Amino acid sequence: MQYTHQSVRDYVAAKKRGDRATTDRIIAEVNARFDTRTTDGSEAAELLDATMAVRFGEGE
């Protein structure tokens, strides 16, 4: 799948590497942007899709 947000692409790469600290940080950052309405919600929706589509530590 092609992701349009850099944060989501970074999240997918970190999740595939098994990097829990980075995935947790990215989730927190996206949530903060959504909570303060500095994003339109598409980033959070895309992150949710990636969360369900990519297995932790599955490699590239």
Side-chain angles (χ1 to χ4, degrees), residues 12-32:
V12 168
K15 191 167 182 183
K16 287 182 177 182
R17 286 192 313 270
D19 184 350
R20 177 123 13 234
T22 300
T23 59
D24 289 349
R25 178 184 53 79
I26 292 169
I27 290 170
E29 290 171 357
V30 171
N31 283 338

